[in-house]
């Protein structure tokens, strides 16, 4: 039902997400479009941009000795990496990223959340304009690569290209920022993990997976029951809406020893924070790269940051994404690297 958001139990105006809300056989050739653009090798080529934006945005605050970690770093770095790669002009970045961030970051009836929900129309319009522009005048960017892709041997339609671009923006902006915010707060409250990560940078890979397990950015997904079934003693009828929790899955004691304990060197770590099976997040490789480059930059350049606890603002609800709206921090001022 196109009128019902398939991934969240809400009245969200988010349009159907492609290819997340598609099933085989239609799903496979469409999924290949994003998989090719966000493969491990393709994502690795964007690491220098993730490093550059992390360094540049730390430069903007490092001399002051204080910043707001979410709005100054955790939020704009993933947005810049994603939207720059796609090829959107920088004048669009704030509007587009806020449209995905604010509905979750503010109470649903707040002016900020209402304004952001209305902004989806503007995002959709800009996506439509830029897709049409790339069809007419190709460029060397992600938008052009998507527009010039093929599905079952045929060029993608403008409508499909628009849906893929919208999905890429939504998946690349607020999820990575939620993960980075969680890591900043955790390392503030657990100085022993911060010290160990600085002293043993080889732990970044395992630490990243543990941050993903312990603080999954996408905390819930909704689904619609297609036929009567009973699962683990819970009867469900066709048409029922169910909410599935990645957070609960990440704390399953049958899978994770001591699941309530954050282990910076946990291995193995088969979490579900990027999903599983055919709908596993195609942007997971770029998300890991962006996250690690940002955390490395902060730990290297403002290693003594302290978050002002009284100023912390967590997302008011679990509108699919969990995270923090405000994390004010102070630190010893340093020098720019620009």
């Amino acid at each position: 039902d196109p009128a019902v958001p398939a991934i969240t139990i809400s009245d969200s105006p988010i349009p159907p997400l492609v290819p997340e809300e598609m099933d085989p056989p239609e799903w496979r050739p469409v999924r290949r479009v994003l998989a090719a653009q966000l493969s491990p090798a393709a994502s690795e080529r964007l690491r220098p941009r993730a490093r550059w934006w992390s360094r540049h945005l730390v430069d903007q605050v490092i001399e002051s000795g204080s910043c707001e970690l979410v709005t100054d770093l955790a939020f704009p770095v993933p947005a810049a990496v994603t939207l720059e790669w796609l090829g959107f002009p920088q004048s669009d970045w704030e509007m587009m990223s806020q449209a995905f961030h604010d509905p979750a970051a503010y109470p649903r009836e707040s002016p900020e959340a209402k304004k952001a929900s209305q902004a989806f129309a503007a995002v959709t319009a800009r996506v439509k304009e830029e897709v049409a522009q790339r069809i007419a005048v190709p460029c060397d960017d992600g938008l052009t690569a998507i527009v010039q892709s093929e599905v079952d041997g045929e060029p993608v339609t403008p409508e499909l290209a628009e849906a893929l671009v919208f999905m890429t923006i939504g998946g690349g902006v607020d999820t990575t920022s939620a993960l980075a915010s969680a890591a900043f707060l955790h390392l503030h409250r657990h100085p022993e993990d911060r010290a160990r990560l600085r002293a043993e940078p080889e732990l970044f890979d395992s630490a990243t997976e543990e941050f993903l397990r312990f603080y999954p950015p996408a905390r819930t997904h909704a689904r619609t029951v297609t036929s009567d079934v009973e699962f683990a003693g819970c009867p469900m009828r066709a048409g029922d809406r169910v909410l599935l929790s990645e957070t609960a899955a990440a704390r399953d004691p049958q899978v994770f020893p001591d699941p309530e304990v954050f282990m910076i060197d946990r291995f193995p770590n088969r979490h579900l924070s990027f999903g599983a099976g055919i709908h596993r997040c195609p942007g997971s490789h770029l998300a890991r790269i962006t996250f690690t480059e940002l955390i490395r930059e902060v730990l290297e350049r403002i290693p003594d940051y302290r978050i002002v606890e009284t100023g912390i603002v967590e997302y008011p609800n679990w509108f699919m994404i969990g995270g923090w709206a405000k994390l004010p921090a102070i630190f010893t001022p340093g020098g720019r690297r620009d």
Side-chain angles (χ1 to χ4, degrees):
D1 182 355
V4 178
I7 61 170
T8 179
I9 297 179
S10 74
D11 56 359
S12 166
I14 297 176
L17 299 180
V18 176
E20 182 170 352
E21 297 183 40
M22 299 177 74
D23 294 317
E26 294 82 6
W27 160 85
R28 190 174 304 280
V30 176
R31 162 77 180 207
R32 286 199 192 103
V33 175
L34 290 183
Q37 303 307 318
L38 295 168
S39 68
S43 298
E44 191 62 38
R45 288 194 290 270
L46 291 172
R47 185 182 294 275
R49 299 309 299 159
R51 184 172 301 153
W52 190 91
W53 280 110
S54 299
R55 180 165 297 182
H56 174 73
L57 287 163
V58 168
D59 272 347
Q60 308 313 302
V61 300
I62 195 166
E63 293 176 325
S64 68
S66 66
C67 71
E68 205 292 290
L69 287 169
V70 177
T71 55
D72 289 335
L73 296 175
F75 185 50
V77 169
V81 173
T82 301
L83 294 170
E84 179 186 57
W85 160 66
L86 283 170
F88 283 95
Q90 197 164 348
S91 56
D92 284 335
W93 294 2
E94 182 176 2
M95 177 274 291
M96 298 185 109
S97 53
Q98 291 292 150
F100 286 93
H101 175 69
D102 288 356
Y106 296 97
R108 292 183 61 190
E109 298 305 315
S110 68
E112 295 89 350
K114 290 182 177 179
K115 180 180 178 182
S117 294
Q118 295 167 357
F120 278 123
V123 173
T124 302
R126 286 294 297 125
V127 169
K128 187 180 184 70
E129 291 170 357
E130 290 296 319
V131 166
Q133 177 68 16
R134 294 312 186 283
I135 293 174
V137 184
C139 300
D140 183 16
D141 57 25
L143 269 165
T144 300
I146 291 172
V147 165
Q148 293 183 339
S149 297
E150 293 185 349
V151 172
D152 290 332
E154 297 292 333
V156 298
T157 64
E159 294 75 18
L160 178 55
E162 292 162 15
L164 287 168
V165 172
F166 187 93
M167 173 73 188
T168 303
I169 298 171
V173 174
D174 205 28
T175 51
T176 308
S177 66
L179 179 65
S181 298
F184 287 143
L185 184 58
H186 177 93
L187 296 173
H188 157 74
R189 290 178 171 170
H190 297 273
E192 71 284 0
D193 285 338
R194 187 192 322 205
R196 190 172 178 194
L197 197 54
R198 292 189 66 215
E200 302 175 65
E202 64 273 14
L203 291 175
F204 256 95
D205 287 347
S206 63
T208 297
E209 300 311 309
E210 185 69 343
F211 282 125
L212 282 161
R213 181 193 75 85
F214 210 76
Y215 306 102
R219 293 182 177 177
T220 60
H221 274 78
R223 288 294 184 266
T224 302
V225 179
T226 57
S227 59
D228 293 354
V229 67
E230 182 173 309
F231 179 77
C234 177
M236 294 177 280
R237 297 186 179 278
D240 284 351
R241 297 282 284 161
V242 296
L243 195 65
L244 310 175
S245 172
E246 284 90 339
T247 305
R251 307 297 176 93
D252 185 348
Q254 297 183 47
V255 179
F256 303 101
D258 296 319
E260 299 298 329
V261 177
F262 183 96
M263 299 181 186
I264 201 169
D265 56 357
R266 182 184 292 272
F267 184 83
N269 196 341
R270 300 185 65 184
H271 59 76
L272 298 177
S273 295
F274 284 126
I278 67 172
H279 289 298
R280 180 176 173 80
C281 174
S284 61
H285 309 296
L286 182 57
R288 287 185 173 97
I289 287 170
T290 303
F291 170 78
T292 55
E293 290 299 328
L294 174 57
I295 301 301
R296 284 179 190 274
E297 190 74 15
V298 169
L299 291 184
E300 177 183 345
R301 303 198 41 211
I302 51 175
D304 64 346
Y305 78 86
R306 301 186 306 282
I307 293 174
V308 181
E309 292 276 349
T310 55
I312 294 173
V313 178
E314 190 174 4
Y315 283 6
N317 56 63
W318 283 17
F319 175 71
M320 198 177 97
I321 301 295
W324 283 263
K326 300 290 181 184
L327 292 174
I330 56 176
F331 49 85
T332 301
R336 297 167 62 99
R337 284 183 171 176
D338 269 352

